[in-house]
Amino acid sequence: ASLWILSLLPRATHSFSANSAIIGGRCAYAQAKNSLHLASTQDDLLVPERFPTSVDDQVRQAKSAILQAQKDGIQRHSIRLLLPLIGATELDDWPGGARQMMDAASPMLTTILKQLPSIGPAASTINESVIDASDGVRALFLQAEDPKEDACAVLLPSADTLPLLQNLDQQVGPKRSMVIVNPQWRRESDFGSFFGAFAGGGVKQKTDFVKGFSPTFSCTSLMVEGDQVRILRAHPSPWRVFVMQVENGNYDDGTIDWVEVGRKDFVDEQPKDWKSDGNGALFDFGLPTYREIEQMIKEQDGYVERNPIEKAAASVRFIKDTL
């Protein structure tokens, strides 16, 4: 029998285009080190050699990362995607909020899920359902020809939807894949106080549950001292840090390149002596910190520190991603 016992709504279709909003700070150093490529003899399940610069790149690399993680026995996946802007205005990239972000994420996840079954996408169907009407949180349900290969993905889940995720987790079972996409929690406080036991479980129980979703694929964006930075992780690779470089500093017509400036080992389990940052941050699987990234950038050949005016100008140009 197939996995899903929920009443599913017909899947909505959405159009989308590649993310062209990749402007940002100028690389101040004259000669950045070349990107480090990972040699491999694997086929499609490679550690990605290049930074994903389009929606299609992200979809392809996320799919490959999930397939490799499945081979390695991992069935709970957390992925973070840079979403293509849809319906942006001059004042707000996402005037429709989280619901609009789900419109952008849905076709990406549809493509990823349909490529997971071993028989290929032709024999698979995707159903989409709103599982939390108050926040509009959606889930995509993959029905493969072989029910053992069924899977689901939940778009932009929040801490408030955790009971629904736990229910889905039970339905999926330990041998089939469940994916959470761009989860909205960051800190322990997002899950309530230690008195949460009266509302369906305490903080530790909730955080232990979300830690069970490994960051199989993650592509995030931030500004570090005037440089636009992207952090990439695709199972089984380490965290990789890229800095945007613009040809001749021309943001309108120059060629954009992403240069790898450093790596950090992925930490798959929380060490017993691990401590939060003092602000209640959740365990981050070894994600490079702001200071670590800053040091990576400064260690590049020909690095020249920007002055405050240059940093301010770079910040104005920066379009932050949706995470």
Side-chain angles (χ1 to χ4, degrees):
S2 186
L3 165 63
W4 310 115
I5 60 174
L6 299 177
S7 176
L8 303 175
L9 300 178
R11 180 177 64 85
T13 58
H14 312 281
S15 61
F16 67 108
S17 59
N19 182 9
S20 59
I22 52 174
I23 65 175
R26 175 175 60 87
C27 290
Y29 42 86
Q31 295 180 344
K33 293 182 178 178
N34 293 330
S35 297
L36 300 177
H37 295 279
L38 302 183
S40 175
T41 58
Q42 298 292 326
D43 48 11
D44 189 41
L45 301 178
L46 289 171
V47 176
E49 294 185 351
R50 61 188 294 269
F51 183 85
T53 56
S54 69
V55 168
D56 288 343
D57 282 349
Q58 286 190 90
V59 166
R60 182 172 56 255
Q61 292 188 14
K63 177 263 298 184
S64 295
I66 292 174
L67 285 174
Q68 184 60 57
Q70 288 177 331
K71 284 189 173 183
D72 294 337
I74 299 171
Q75 300 292 357
R76 293 297 178 266
H77 314 276
S78 174
I79 67 174
R80 289 193 177 274
L81 302 168
L82 295 177
L83 302 178
L85 296 177
I86 57 174
T89 67
E90 292 184 0
L91 299 178
D92 191 349
D93 287 345
W94 299 101
R99 293 172 189 261
Q100 188 177 12
M101 294 179 193
M102 292 181 214
D103 287 341
S106 179
M108 298 174 72
L109 264 297
T110 296
T111 303
I112 291 170
L113 288 177
K114 291 198 73 172
Q115 296 182 63
L116 296 183
S118 57
I119 199 171
S124 303
T125 59
I126 299 288
N127 293 289
E128 183 172 312
S129 176
V130 175
I131 63 172
D132 184 347
S134 61
D135 292 332
V137 175
R138 303 180 198 170
L140 302 179
F141 300 94
L142 166 71
Q143 291 181 296
E145 184 172 276
D146 182 353
K148 294 179 181 179
E149 294 187 318
D150 286 355
C152 77
V154 181
L155 309 181
L156 280 76
S158 67
D160 292 337
T161 61
L162 204 63
L164 293 170
L165 292 181
Q166 291 170 319
N167 182 44
L168 278 176
D169 177 72
Q170 292 296 317
Q171 290 189 48
V172 172
K175 296 183 179 181
R176 288 179 280 208
S177 280
M178 180 174 174
V179 184
I180 55 175
V181 185
N182 291 20
Q184 300 298 289
W185 49 76
R186 295 284 188 179
R187 305 188 180 280
E188 291 180 357
S189 58
D190 294 334
F191 297 96
S193 69
F194 287 100
F195 298 101
F198 297 102
V203 171
K204 187 177 186 305
Q205 177 190 4
K206 296 174 181 178
T207 57
D208 284 347
F209 175 77
V210 301
K211 280 189 296 187
F213 289 81
S214 176
T216 302
F217 180 85
S218 179
C219 185
T220 58
S221 177
L222 73 158
M223 183 72 80
V224 177
E225 294 297 305
D227 278 314
Q228 185 165 338
V229 172
R230 298 280 167 90
I231 306 173
L232 176 67
R233 198 266 162 168
H235 180 88
S237 73
W239 298 100
R240 305 170 68 196
V241 177
F242 294 79
V243 171
M244 191 182 74
Q245 192 172 22
V246 182
E247 182 181 4
N248 301 323
N250 187 334
Y251 298 98
D252 295 324
D253 302 318
T255 300
I256 292 175
D257 190 19
W258 290 95
V259 178
E260 184 172 359
V261 297
R263 301 182 180 190
K264 185 180 178 184
D265 288 342
F266 178 78
V267 181
D268 58 358
E269 292 186 7
Q270 179 174 320
K272 293 182 179 180
D273 59 351
W274 182 86
K275 294 182 180 180
S276 181
D277 60 0
N279 295 315
L282 296 169
F283 175 60
D284 58 10
F285 298 87
L287 179 73
T289 66
Y290 183 97
R291 295 304 175 197
E292 289 171 337
I293 295 171
E294 183 181 17
Q295 186 63 32
M296 292 176 187
I297 293 173
K298 289 182 176 180
E299 289 176 351
Q300 300 306 298
D301 294 339
Y303 169 78
V304 177
E305 185 174 1
R306 287 183 175 82
N307 61 47
I309 295 177
E310 290 175 323
K311 291 179 181 179
S315 296
V316 170
R317 288 189 296 266
F318 178 58
I319 296 180
K320 196 178 186 301
D321 63 68
T322 62
L323 304 178

